[in-house]
Amino acid sequence: MSDIACQAALAAPDTKTPGAAWPAVFSLSFGVFGLVTAEFLPVSLLTPMAAELGVTNGAVGQAITATAVVAALAGPLLVLGSGRLDRRVIVWALMAMLVVSSVLTAFAGSVGVLLVARGLLGFALGGFWAMMTALALRLVPPADVPRAMSIIVMGVSVATVVAAPLGAALGALWGWRATFLAAAALGALSLLVQLLVLPRLPSVGAPGFASFRAALSRRAVLIGFATVIIVVSGHFAGFTFIRPFLEEVPRLDVATISLALLAFGVGGFLGNPVAGMIAARSPAWAAGGVSLLIGAASLLLALFGGTPAVAFAAVALWGFAFGGFPVAVSIWNARAAPDLAESSGALLSSSFQVAIASGALIGGFLIDGIGPHGVIVYAAAAVVLGAGVMLTLGRAAERTRAGA
């Protein structure tokens, strides 16, 4: 039995199931697909939303910020407040929040209502991510946890591929309000599937502040969080501003940029299962390896990005690498603290959101100060540093745990 299997079996012996609940696992992947699709929709609908609400693009852009800020707080708050509730009831409630948020957004008459709606989505998104690892540990036998995590995170990869182009297409066809109603319908369908297939998941204890302190006292957990903050902030510092780079350096037209971003999404879809297979054996190698690939892709852009073919290939490689990162670090976190899955999962979710916000902020300063080349070089340096953390400290912790 693998190390994660041994630890999970010891940590939660009363939650083992005789077989894997794969329909429930796929329903969670469907759920996270709906959540991330709703999260990304304003990116492709920003201009018409701003025009109809009578505000600037920047004001509507704060809807995205509101989602991330609330998501960063939601995970720990949900875990602390969940008490002894059946976990499937919590999942159902989070999916219902997605539906309500999308309906509110569709009928928003002001930026204030829009921010409230997006904050509600942020709570659902952050809460779902916080519970994801704990749910995987309970829905499948321990040896199948890496595969289950890969399937659940696959919903993110698919949403990354389809959300922006689908949102733009539906927005042009139906208008942005109807597009958000479609997102509500997607959330309702996901909720219906989960109502049918999720088994009872009674609480095995009411997590409190002590469980968060315990998670933060584990060196392996902290190594994972440090890697996430460094790599994800570097990634978002660069990739948030990839369009101006592609416009100014290789001078790609809009159609080619769209194809490059589609290649990024397809690459992420392919990178997810590859990283999941590697992480089943060594999550440190998986997380560190894909981080190095992100660094290589961004360095290619910085050095040779003036050549359109190289720029296109580098963006696709970047997508492949980053598509594998969330599943790799999620499996790392599950292995580092299987007995504190809800608390460590909540903290991991918050780490992602903090990294996203800080990365975009740093990238904004850099692109205004030194231009698109500077922000890509910073991204390369940051993700390589994060890879170094995981491939040195992480591998050492992994070897120590294997020998224990």
Side-chain angles (χ1 to χ4, degrees):
M1 183 181 288
S2 67
D3 179 64
I4 189 173
C6 294
Q7 292 187 59
L10 290 171
D14 58 332
T15 62
K16 291 189 295 183
T17 56
W22 291 115
V25 171
F26 279 99
S27 79
L28 295 178
S29 182
F30 189 19
V32 79
F33 168 75
L35 286 163
V36 175
T37 296
E39 181 186 20
F40 286 166
L41 280 181
V43 174
S44 56
L45 299 170
L46 198 69
T47 304
M49 290 174 70
E52 188 166 336
L53 293 173
V55 296
T56 65
N57 287 339
V60 174
Q62 296 309 308
I64 301 171
T65 305
T67 305
V69 170
V70 174
L73 300 173
L77 290 175
L78 178 68
V79 170
L80 287 172
S82 60
R84 297 191 174 278
L85 285 174
D86 188 314
R87 271 36 187 171
R88 69 172 178 175
V89 174
I90 296 176
V91 173
W92 294 340
L94 294 174
M95 297 311 301
M97 286 183 186
L98 164 61
V99 176
V100 173
S101 167
S102 298
V103 171
L104 278 177
T105 301
F107 290 100
S110 67
V111 172
V113 175
L114 179 64
L115 292 177
V116 170
R118 301 300 291 180
L120 191 61
L121 175 66
F123 191 93
L125 188 66
F128 191 96
W129 274 101
M131 300 191 66
M132 182 175 66
T133 301
L135 292 170
L137 284 166
R138 298 184 63 180
L139 288 172
V140 300
D144 288 330
V145 168
R147 182 184 174 200
M149 293 296 300
S150 182
I151 289 171
I152 295 171
V153 177
M154 183 69 74
V156 178
S157 301
V158 176
T160 302
V161 174
V162 306
L166 182 64
L170 293 180
L173 185 64
W174 297 340
W176 68 269
R177 294 185 184 275
T179 301
F180 277 101
L181 287 178
L186 178 64
L189 180 59
S190 176
L191 174 58
L192 176 61
V193 172
Q194 291 169 358
L195 285 168
L196 294 173
V197 302
L198 276 180
R200 290 185 65 254
L201 296 167
S203 171
V204 293
F209 286 105
S211 66
F212 285 93
R213 288 195 299 269
L216 290 172
S217 70
R218 297 191 182 180
R219 187 167 180 266
V221 170
L222 293 178
I223 290 169
F225 292 168
T227 302
V228 165
I229 290 172
I230 297 170
V231 172
V232 175
S233 65
H235 162 78
F236 275 95
F239 201 75
T240 299
F241 302 99
I242 194 66
R243 176 165 179 167
F245 179 91
L246 295 175
E247 288 173 337
E248 296 178 30
V249 180
R251 299 186 180 279
L252 303 183
D253 57 29
V254 174
T256 308
I257 290 173
S258 298
L259 283 175
L261 295 178
L262 179 62
F264 176 91
V266 172
F269 181 81
L270 298 174
N272 174 284
V274 173
M277 288 187 289
I278 297 172
R281 298 179 63 86
S282 170
W285 275 118
V290 296
S291 299
L292 284 179
L293 279 180
I294 296 171
S298 49
L299 195 58
L300 275 175
L301 281 174
L303 296 177
F304 309 107
T307 303
V310 173
F312 193 97
V315 171
L317 177 62
W318 193 331
F320 176 85
F322 189 73
F325 186 78
V327 66
V329 295
S330 295
I331 293 171
W332 170 271
N333 204 44
R335 184 168 292 187
D339 55 326
L340 298 167
E342 290 187 358
S343 301
S344 63
L347 292 170
L348 181 67
S349 172
S350 296
S351 297
F352 261 98
Q353 299 301 328
V354 168
I356 290 169
S358 62
L361 181 65
I362 293 169
F365 284 125
L366 287 174
I367 199 165
D368 288 343
I370 57 179
H373 263 109
V375 75
I376 297 299
V377 170
Y378 169 80
V383 295
V384 169
L385 175 61
V389 170
M390 183 56 76
L391 292 175
T392 55
L393 301 179
R395 277 294 294 153
E398 206 169 53
R399 287 192 295 267
T400 299
R401 191 165 55 238

